[in-house]
């Protein structure tokens, strides 16, 4: 098939990917605002914590076994003591951990750090980079992921996190490998050939949902490795006639470079309050408010209704069928989440354990709740309304307009620290409080670490 593109149009299209490379090559640690560096540290800690809590999550054993088949290397497998593998294998395993509990940070519509952090940390350990170099690479990699997603105008069912995430991982890995502009440009082009991910895993509630970010972290490193070895990739990865925006989701690629290096979208990253899909969070918060205000329990509820936007309902409004994958169902079924809040007074890590999701006592309450889609609403994560009718005739309602943890309703420092303690202290790889505090302080002072390969020494 022949495609005719005018020389002028081709030149305009070719500018966008090149402009990303040129801008990010110029940016150094000292050019990044202190507020943004603080955000990067906070998000990195959050990613590590939710990954630590996921050691026993479904699907993790398979990812661990796959990683352990590889040759020993210089990159840590998080929570596995001194075990190290080559970077792409470590990034795959750590990326699986980071996504497994759906407790990870959210920037716009993407979970950037669960891809970029596993990739960047693995390469930084291998290359023995310092903390300043890691923080700059993390920030810019995450920023690219967020900007690519923000420039998108459609949602046909691709998983934006992994589609955009492979480019952020490739950029961070290329930077930490010390690649020049030309080879970094090739790394982004090679990443285009890896880009992928679909929401089919979400709607079917399959374990591959938590692997798509792991694929992207792994493939971003491979893209940078191949570029370092001289492999060439497409030059117009984002804006070409068969590039990212032409083939995946329509958008405005020029927005990716608008203000790049001057304005950081990652500053708006939200930390999750609940270990569930972000599309459930407004409804969970609404149910919590009803419980707090009126002191009801699940036994008081005769029936209830949850009102969601079409996008939210697509991801979390389906039938409650937990038998095949109870943990994934617990994370992606809003009726179960609201029922858990009403019955147990909250929604935490214990509520996505298979035993909690399969608890026969919760099923009748789930069945008494319904989901209604308000087609007039266009929000991705909010608003949500929860209404319950009690056996004694009361009708109790609450609407949440802003997702907890978002810039409009941020978590307080005490809430953030409590989440870190709870997550680092959960599961097979649980850390004692003293070691948690040591790791937290080390990340807070990350710019003073001379060799990232020692980051976890004497802490874990």
């Amino acid at each position: 098939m022949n495609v005719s593109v005018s020389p002028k149009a081709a030149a305009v299209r070719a500018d966008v990917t090149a402009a990303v490379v040129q801008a990010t090559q110029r940016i150094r640690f000292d050019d990044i605002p202190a507020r943004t560096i603080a955000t990067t540290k906070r998000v990195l800690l959050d990613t590590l914590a939710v990954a630590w809590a996921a050691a026993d999550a479904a699907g993790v054993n398979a990812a661990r076994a796959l990683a352990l088949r590889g040759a020993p290397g210089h990159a840590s497998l998080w929570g596995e003591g001194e075990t190290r593998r080559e970077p792409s294998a470590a990034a795959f395993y750590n990326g699986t951990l980071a996504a497994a509990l759906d407790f990870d940070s959210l920037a716009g519509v993407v979970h950037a750090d669960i891809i970029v952090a596993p990739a960047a940390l693995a390469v930084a350990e291998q290359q023995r980079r310092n903390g300043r170099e890691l923080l700059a690479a993390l920030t810019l990699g995450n920023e690219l992921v967020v900007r690519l997603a923000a420039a998108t105008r459609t949602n046909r069912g691709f998983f934006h996190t992994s589609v955009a995430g492979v480019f952020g991982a490739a950029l961070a890995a290329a930077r930490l490998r010390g690649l020049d502009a030309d080879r970094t440009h090739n790394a982004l082009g090679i990443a285009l050939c890896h880009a992928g991910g679909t929401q089919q895993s979400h709607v079917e509630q399959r374990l591959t949902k938590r692997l798509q970010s792991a694929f992207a972290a792994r493939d971003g490193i491979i893209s940078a490795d191949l570029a370092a070895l001289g492999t060439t990739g497409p030059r117009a990865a984002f804006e070409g006639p068969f590039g990212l925006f032409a083939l995946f989701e329509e958008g405005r690629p020029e927005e990716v470079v608008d203000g790049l290096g001057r304005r950081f979208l990652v500053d708006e990253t939200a930390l999750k309050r609940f270990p569930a899909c972000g599309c459930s969070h407004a409804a969970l918060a609404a149910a919590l408010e009803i419980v707090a205000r009126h002191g009801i329990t699940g036994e008081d509820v005769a029936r209830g209704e949850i009102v969601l936007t079409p996008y939210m309902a697509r991801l979390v409004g389906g039938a409650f069928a937990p038998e095949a994958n109870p943990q994934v169902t617990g994370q992606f079924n809003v009726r179960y989440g609201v029922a858990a809040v009403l019955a147990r007074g909250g929604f935490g890590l214990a509520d996505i354990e298979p035993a909690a999701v399969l608890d026969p006592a919760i099923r009748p309450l789930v069945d008494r709740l319904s989901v209604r889609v308000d087609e007039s609403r266009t929000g991705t994560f909010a608003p949500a309304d929860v209404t319950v009718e009690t056996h004694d005739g009361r009708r109790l309602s609450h609407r949440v307009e802003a997702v907890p943890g978002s810039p409009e309703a941020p978590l307080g420092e005490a809430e953030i620290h409590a989440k870190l303690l709870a997550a680092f202290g959960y599961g097979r790889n649980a850390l004692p409080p003293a070691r948690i505090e040591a790791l937290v302080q080390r990340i807070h002072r990350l710019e003073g670490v001379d060799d990232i390969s020692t980051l976890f020494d004497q802490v874990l």
Side-chain angles (χ1 to χ4, degrees):
M1 180 176 67
N2 294 321
V3 176
S4 177
V5 181
S6 71
K8 182 177 180 181
V12 170
R13 292 190 184 115
D15 284 344
V16 178
T17 308
V20 168
V21 173
Q22 292 162 8
T24 54
Q25 286 274 309
R26 290 193 299 266
I27 298 169
R28 294 291 177 263
F29 176 84
D30 290 334
D31 299 321
I32 301 172
R35 172 193 175 190
T36 304
I37 292 296
T39 296
T40 298
K41 292 178 184 177
R42 184 167 61 250
V43 173
L44 174 60
L45 263 174
D46 187 77
T47 299
L48 289 170
V50 299
W52 241 262
D56 299 316
V60 166
N61 280 340
R64 183 187 299 110
L66 195 61
L68 290 175
R69 288 181 187 175
H74 299 88
S76 302
L77 301 186
W78 296 347
E80 299 297 321
E82 296 300 316
T83 305
R84 296 182 183 234
R85 287 295 183 268
E86 56 87 19
S88 62
F92 176 79
Y93 176 60
N94 297 337
T96 301
L97 287 174
L101 299 182
D102 238 284
F103 209 6
D104 46 290
S105 61
L106 189 61
V109 297
V110 288
H111 308 266
D113 206 60
I114 61 172
I115 296 173
V116 179
L121 266 173
V123 177
E125 286 181 300
Q126 179 200 49
Q127 299 292 316
R128 306 193 72 166
R129 296 297 183 185
N130 64 42
R132 290 162 61 91
E133 292 167 322
L134 173 62
L135 285 166
L138 269 174
T139 301
L140 294 174
N142 283 337
E143 183 70 12
L144 178 58
V145 179
V146 177
R147 284 175 170 269
L148 288 171
T152 298
R153 292 294 182 274
T154 58
N155 195 318
R156 294 187 293 169
F158 286 104
F159 183 38
H160 289 165
T161 292
S162 57
V163 171
V166 69
F167 297 102
L171 180 67
R175 186 181 180 97
L176 290 163
R177 268 186 146 277
L179 302 192
D180 62 15
D182 183 62
R183 296 198 177 199
T184 298
H185 204 152
N186 282 323
L188 294 178
I190 297 167
L192 173 65
C193 303
H194 287 288
T198 166
Q199 293 177 19
Q200 192 64 32
S201 294
H202 298 60
V203 298
E204 289 192 26
Q205 299 176 0
R206 311 305 289 181
L207 291 177
T208 43
K209 187 273 173 187
R210 58 188 53 172
L211 295 181
Q212 293 184 111
S213 55
F215 294 145
R218 177 199 65 191
D219 294 343
I221 291 177
I222 292 172
S223 297
D225 286 348
L226 287 169
L229 293 168
T231 303
T232 60
R235 306 300 278 180
F238 303 143
E239 66 287 344
F242 303 112
L244 177 68
F245 287 95
L247 290 188
F248 287 86
E249 302 281 5
E250 296 176 9
R252 298 179 180 176
E254 65 277 7
E255 292 184 3
V256 177
V257 293
D258 182 19
L260 179 59
R262 300 190 307 274
R263 177 170 48 90
F264 287 87
L265 303 187
V266 290
D267 287 338
E268 304 304 308
T269 302
L271 302 184
K272 280 189 173 182
R273 184 179 178 184
F274 309 109
C277 176
C279 292
S280 291
H281 284 214
L284 297 180
L288 270 175
E289 186 64 23
I290 291 172
V291 170
R293 286 186 182 182
H294 304 284
I296 65 168
T297 68
E299 294 180 354
D300 297 316
V301 178
R303 65 188 63 83
E305 180 184 72
I306 306 159
V307 183
L308 304 176
T309 71
Y311 180 87
M312 295 158 68
R314 183 169 79 190
L315 293 185
V316 300
F320 180 65
E323 288 72 23
N325 291 296
Q327 187 173 75
V328 180
T329 299
Q331 295 165 321
F332 281 84
N333 189 275
V334 71
R335 291 194 299 141
Y336 168 74
V338 169
V341 170
L342 295 172
R344 302 167 185 154
F347 193 88
L349 289 167
D351 294 293
I352 59 171
E353 292 290 352
V357 181
L358 296 172
D359 180 1
I362 200 76
R363 186 63 182 255
L365 180 55
V366 174
D367 291 340
R368 296 200 296 273
L369 303 177
S370 63
V371 171
R372 179 166 63 85
V373 180
D374 186 340
E375 298 290 345
S376 69
R377 299 181 182 181
T378 59
T380 303
F381 300 112
D385 297 89
V386 173
T387 299
V388 298
E389 296 180 16
T390 63
H391 291 293
D392 61 8
R394 290 177 292 167
R395 182 180 173 85
L396 312 173
S397 297
H398 191 72
R399 169 181 288 191
V400 169
E401 300 276 4
V403 179
S406 68
E408 296 77 22
L411 301 184
E413 290 300 321
E415 290 177 291
I416 293 172
H417 195 68
K419 178 181 176 179
L420 294 177
L421 291 175
F424 273 125
Y426 192 84
R428 179 173 62 83
N429 292 333
L431 297 175
R435 290 191 176 185
I436 296 171
E437 292 295 345
L439 181 57
V440 168
Q441 291 308 312
R442 187 164 292 187
I443 298 297
H444 282 324
R445 303 187 183 104
L446 191 56
E447 59 266 61
V449 175
D450 294 327
D451 181 353
I452 292 300
S453 70
T454 68
L455 181 64
F456 299 124
D457 289 359
Q458 299 175 345
V459 173
L460 308 181

